[in-house]
Amino acid sequence: MATFILGMVLTVAFWVVAWTRVPIASEYSFFPLWIGYVLSVNGISELTYHDSLLKRMRGRFAYLFIASIPLWWFFEWANSRLQNWHYVLLHPISELHYVIQASVDFSTVIPAVLSTAFLFHRFFANKRKNTKPITIRSSWLVWSVIIGGVSFCLMLLFPNETFPLIWIAPFLIIEPILYAGGMPSLLRQIEKGNWALTWSIMIGTLFTGFLWEMWNFYSLPKWYYTIPYVGFWKVFEMPILGYGGYPFFGLIVFSYTTLVFAAVMRKNLLDLYTHSR
């Protein structure tokens, strides 16, 4: 209960600060607002299921913030070529200030996505039956990596035509690496006919993405989009078709974090979702 209450207080307070553009405070409202969201989601999970990702990970939950920073800077690098989103700041700031502030804000991405995915997985786990097991062929893994690599090349050469591939290509590369390396992976769940976690991640990230866009709309600093061909019918700043990228972004987040935990920490992220307690 305490986690939920603290989370809601932070969320509501900094939502108000962000949208009313309180001087100075609003400039730094993103991080505490999303800390509030992360605590709220984990609090709802604890109240509903007496379980949460935060409760399972305890101190290791902090590693999610650290892992999140390089992940989103990768997407910032990709966007330097694609030019799909842009930031509006309250006033000019130094490059060092920008890097530090942006890194702090970017650190909330993985905790938000994975906490929401955990909550949705607890909801869906007992409601979706397994489907027929699938045999994952080695040739599929090879072709997946090839397609992912070619996608990156196409994005660099033809950014206006291939920009959606940024939300698919990393997953096409990371998942085969996890599977072939004997590490935990979503492919191993799918291989067993268990799609619950995959769907939970995709739906949970779409939900999280909606809040990202909603809270961004009246905030400053904020971001806006310039997306070729499909920049119409905006819901907040995001064109409606752009929301289709969020479910696949969630898969990238999960696979990337699974790789980091397995390769660097020798920990199994998948166990936190699939093992009942």
Side-chain angles (χ1 to χ4, degrees):
M1 177 66 77
T3 302
F4 174 72
I5 292 174
L6 176 59
M8 288 303 298
V9 168
L10 286 173
T11 301
V12 172
F14 284 96
W15 183 355
V16 171
V17 167
W19 277 17
T20 54
R21 301 183 180 180
V22 176
I24 301 178
S26 63
E27 186 175 357
Y28 302 99
S29 61
F30 186 96
F31 181 77
L33 171 59
W34 278 94
I35 289 293
Y37 172 79
V38 169
L39 292 175
S40 297
V41 169
N42 280 279
I44 292 171
S45 185
E46 290 174 17
L47 289 171
T48 308
Y49 301 107
H50 306 289
D51 194 10
S52 71
L53 186 61
L54 177 60
K55 188 175 181 179
R56 290 196 175 196
M57 295 189 73
R58 299 184 181 275
R60 288 178 296 162
F61 193 82
Y63 293 132
L64 298 181
F65 290 87
I66 298 172
S68 185
I69 296 171
L71 174 67
W72 193 257
W73 274 116
F74 162 78
F75 283 102
E76 290 294 317
W77 167 80
N79 188 57
S80 67
R81 178 63 179 172
L82 299 175
Q83 292 294 301
N84 286 162
W85 63 87
H86 315 268
Y87 297 103
V88 179
L89 305 179
L90 278 166
H91 52 78
I93 59 176
S94 69
E95 184 175 349
L96 178 60
H97 184 166
Y98 176 80
V99 169
I100 293 173
Q101 184 175 343
S103 295
V104 170
D105 292 343
F106 296 164
S107 72
T108 60
V109 172
I110 290 180
V113 168
L114 295 191
S115 295
T116 310
F118 186 93
L119 175 60
F120 274 79
H121 185 249
R122 288 306 306 261
F123 177 79
F124 285 121
N126 296 324
K127 292 178 170 54
R128 299 185 67 89
K129 295 182 179 179
N130 286 4
T131 60
K132 185 178 179 180
I134 299 173
T135 300
I136 304 295
R137 303 181 186 279
S138 299
S139 60
W140 296 357
L141 302 178
V142 173
W143 275 110
S144 179
V145 172
I146 291 173
I147 293 171
V150 170
S151 296
F152 277 115
C153 294
L154 290 174
M155 282 186 287
L156 294 175
L157 294 172
F158 309 104
N160 285 348
E161 291 73 27
T162 63
F163 64 89
L165 295 176
I166 189 59
W167 308 113
I168 302 172
F171 180 75
L172 294 178
I173 294 173
I174 297 173
E175 270 298 313
I177 291 174
L178 291 171
Y179 184 91
M183 292 179 277
S185 71
L186 289 174
L187 281 178
R188 296 196 182 281
Q189 292 291 302
I190 294 171
E191 185 178 40
K192 299 173 184 176
N194 186 349
W195 288 82
L197 180 55
T198 299
W199 284 115
S200 298
I201 294 166
M202 297 179 79
I203 296 171
T205 309
L206 179 60
F207 176 82
T208 308
F210 180 84
L211 294 179
W212 265 318
E213 302 302 336
M214 181 184 74
W215 284 330
N216 169 68
F217 192 58
Y218 290 113
S219 299
L220 198 65
K222 65 179 295 181
W223 61 82
Y224 67 94
Y225 298 95
T226 53
I227 302 180
Y229 309 117
V230 295
F232 50 82
W233 295 345
K234 290 189 175 183
V235 179
F236 307 118
E237 291 289 353
M238 173 69 86
I240 192 166
L241 293 181
Y243 285 91
Y246 273 115
F248 298 98
F249 172 62
L251 297 180
I252 295 171
V253 168
F254 192 89
S255 295
Y256 160 80
T257 311
T258 300
L259 178 61
V260 171
F261 269 57
V264 178
M265 300 174 58
R266 306 298 180 186
K267 299 293 183 181
N268 188 334
L269 181 66
L270 215 64
D271 279 349
L272 297 171
Y273 288 78
T274 57
H275 284 189
S276 59
R277 295 187 180 182

